[in-house]
Amino acid sequence: MATLIWGTRPRSLAAAVGQVPKLLQASVPRQWQHNLQTSAQVLPKVSDFAFAFDIDGVLLRSSNPLPRARKALSYLQEQRIPFILLTNGGGKSEKERVQEISDHLEVPLDVSMFVQAHTPFAELVGEYKDKCILVVGGEGDKCRKVAENYGFANVLTPADLITAFPNLWPFGSFQNYKPYARALSNSTLSPRSYTPNLTPPPLKIDAIFIFHDPRDWALDTQLLLDLLLSSSGHLGSLSPKNGNPSLPNNGYQQDSQPPLYFSNPDLLWAAAYHLPRLGQGGFREAFEGVWKAVTGNAKLEKKMFGKPHQETFAFAEKRLARHRHALLGAGRSRIGTEGLKRVYMVGDNPESDIQGANEFKSPAGSQWRSILVRSGVFDEGKEPVHRPDVVVGDVWDAVEWGLEREGWK
Ligand code: G3P
Ligand code: MG
């Protein structure tokens, strides 16, 4: 393998792998080292290209593996061609989710080659370290745990707020929040009309993160509205600037309200049902409708993450580069993003996978190509808004197309 090229010939591939620093070896799933062993005799080539695979509609439909998904990933592993999984899904820790996918596909995978919708939020911990954030979406309080694992120290959920202040949403909820609601540190902070210097001040939320598809659109919509109309995120207060025509955006979101982060723009996605289902983007569109109705068409200031956004692709490219380095390159100068010339993005959604790859401006100068598969949300009858480099049947066809472009035999 590597050192075959560099001349200092270790006794065997095991020795070659042994030269890979422990840390980097860790990013090569153990079972995959077996694939390396077996491939050593065959192909000591090093690819200056890689793949990025979407999950829903490309590798899996809900938790059911799609045809030839396993074949595609196993073949790339045997050939030591780096790839990552890049999904707008989420709602649980990267470790838990990558293990699930690895089990479903029976292919060794690990977190070093995996990016979920909310994974880039981990880079915002520094900004909100000791601040109070509201995490919305997902099952129970799984997303709270993911946020805490990232390092956010003070994480609240809608369950905590509706349990502490039942009048927040008069129609109660079909969900029993109690099992995963946490008592607020001091519940006397009940939201009430806010006047400055009120002691103790009402609960203050410093940022809102939509980690995954909200389960209770009604309660979550009410909470977001309350906080974005509040004064500086003090729950239960109303900003005196709201509706002031002399201010930008008619005074809305002009009073240090908490920033609103969305992790996934997908309006529709390919789940188990035979027709596409509404995603987090559906909730956002619904909330924007309420916001415009309540504010008289004010703009909703928000921060968007997830495919097709530049931040998410840049984050994914860095992760791919590190993984590629671990896989191919200890000791090699031209590894990391240098040397990664092309990335083939394989996706089923023109608005997220294809648009993202087409518009991505790689800080490392890599060229991203876009491959649209027919196994997911893409509606054959419609001309894709964002034109892919090619449309193919499924993920194996996509891999074949990429390898052909590369002349990889
Ligand atoms: O909620 C997940 C969905 O929006 C799409 O996921 O894997 O196709 O990016 P994916
Ligand atoms: Mg998809």
Side-chain angles (χ1 to χ4, degrees):
M1 184 173 84
T3 47
L4 292 172
I5 298 171
W6 306 326
T8 52
R9 179 175 296 284
R11 287 180 309 294
S12 72
L13 184 69
V17 169
Q19 284 179 3
V20 174
K22 286 253 167 304
L23 176 62
L24 291 176
Q25 265 190 38
S27 329
V28 179
R30 182 163 306 295
Q31 308 89 325
W32 193 358
Q33 287 172 15
H34 163 66
N35 289 342
L36 288 179
Q37 311 294 19
T38 51
S39 69
Q41 288 77 24
V42 183
L43 294 162
K45 284 189 287 193
V46 166
S47 63
D48 59 2
F49 64 96
F51 285 82
F53 293 103
D54 171 46
I55 296 178
D56 294 303
V58 172
L59 300 174
L60 296 174
R61 218 154 156 150
S62 183
S63 54
N64 309 315
L66 281 164
R68 308 201 292 179
R70 179 165 185 274
K71 176 180 177 183
L73 300 190
S74 308
Y75 180 80
L76 293 177
Q77 286 186 334
E78 275 153 28
Q79 300 291 315
R80 295 184 19 252
I81 296 169
F83 65 83
I84 57 166
L85 305 190
L86 174 55
T87 175
N88 272 351
K92 48 190 79 166
S93 73
E94 282 70 19
K95 197 160 181 301
E96 188 186 341
R97 183 94 168 96
V98 83
Q99 191 52 54
E100 266 175 22
I101 297 164
S102 181
D103 297 345
H104 289 316
L105 294 173
E106 297 168 46
V107 172
L109 302 166
D110 75 48
V111 289
S112 72
M113 51 206 292
F114 188 60
V115 177
Q116 299 191 100
H118 43 67
T119 312
F121 285 168
E123 295 193 328
L124 297 169
V125 166
E127 202 175 328
Y128 296 102
K129 192 142 189 47
D130 303 315
K131 296 272 176 66
C132 178
I133 67 167
L134 180 70
V135 164
V136 175
E139 234 177 280
D141 66 348
K142 282 199 172 198
C143 289
R144 182 211 311 269
K145 296 200 174 97
V146 175
E148 289 172 339
N149 280 340
Y150 289 162
F152 291 102
N154 191 353
V155 182
L156 295 182
T157 66
D160 303 343
L161 300 179
I162 190 68
T163 306
F165 315 124
N167 297 337
L168 255 173
W169 178 242
F171 304 117
S173 172
F174 60 90
Q175 297 209 35
N176 173 10
Y177 284 112
K178 287 216 169 47
Y180 38 82
R182 271 194 204 152
L184 299 185
S185 51
N186 39 25
S187 55
T188 53
L189 298 178
S190 59
R192 57 189 181 281
S193 57
Y194 172 71
T195 48
N197 315 326
L198 192 63
T199 50
L203 180 69
K204 178 175 173 19
I205 302 276
D206 300 296
I208 306 166
F209 288 87
I210 315 296
F211 260 62
H212 197 232
D213 303 29
R215 297 314 195 251
D216 186 340
W217 287 27
L219 171 64
D220 298 343
T221 297
Q222 182 66 72
L223 275 176
L224 263 58
L225 196 61
D226 286 345
L227 290 168
L228 298 182
L229 294 175
S230 74
S231 197
S232 317
H234 288 289
L235 187 62
S237 68
L238 266 184
S239 167
K241 296 183 179 176
N242 293 342
N244 179 341
S246 67
L247 294 172
N249 202 26
N250 266 353
Y252 290 101
Q253 292 180 288
Q254 307 299 314
D255 191 4
S256 325
Q257 284 86 356
L260 173 59
Y261 294 88
F262 286 94
S263 64
N264 170 9
D266 289 353
L267 181 62
L268 299 169
W269 67 295
Y273 192 68
H274 64 286
L275 298 173
R277 302 291 79 184
L278 282 173
Q280 190 186 127
F283 169 77
R284 178 177 47 73
E285 293 290 349
F287 177 72
E288 296 219 32
V290 168
W291 175 255
K292 287 194 179 321
V294 169
T295 63
N297 266 333
K299 183 173 179 302
L300 176 68
E301 301 293 343
K302 56 188 181 287
K303 299 180 192 290
M304 295 300 298
F305 280 74
K307 300 171 288 182
H309 297 290
Q310 174 76 14
E311 290 80 5
T312 289
F313 275 83
F315 182 93
E317 184 174 72
K318 277 190 290 180
R319 187 149 283 196
L320 176 55
R322 259 201 313 276
H323 172 63
R324 179 171 178 269
H325 184 88
L327 183 67
L328 298 177
R332 227 185 245 229
S333 57
R334 287 187 58 65
I335 272 294
T337 39
E338 308 90 50
L340 178 59
K341 299 228 175 36
R342 281 165 308 288
V343 180
Y344 293 91
M345 174 75 219
V346 183
D348 70 312
N349 187 328
E351 277 76 33
S352 63
D353 308 307
I354 305 308
Q355 179 185 357
N358 290 357
E359 295 173 358
F360 178 51
K361 296 184 183 37
S362 159
S366 309
Q367 189 204 11
W368 284 59
R369 309 291 304 266
S370 56
I371 307 174
L372 181 61
V373 295
R374 294 192 184 88
S375 51
V377 284
F378 168 51
D379 174 352
E380 192 69 59
K382 278 209 220 105
E383 188 61 28
V385 185
H386 301 281
R387 295 182 67 75
D389 287 297
V390 68
V391 180
V392 297
D394 68 12
V395 64
W396 176 250
D397 299 329
V399 166
E400 279 197 318
W401 187 83
L403 295 178
E404 218 166 287
R405 300 270 91 46
E406 296 295 333
W408 187 277
K409 295 274 176 299

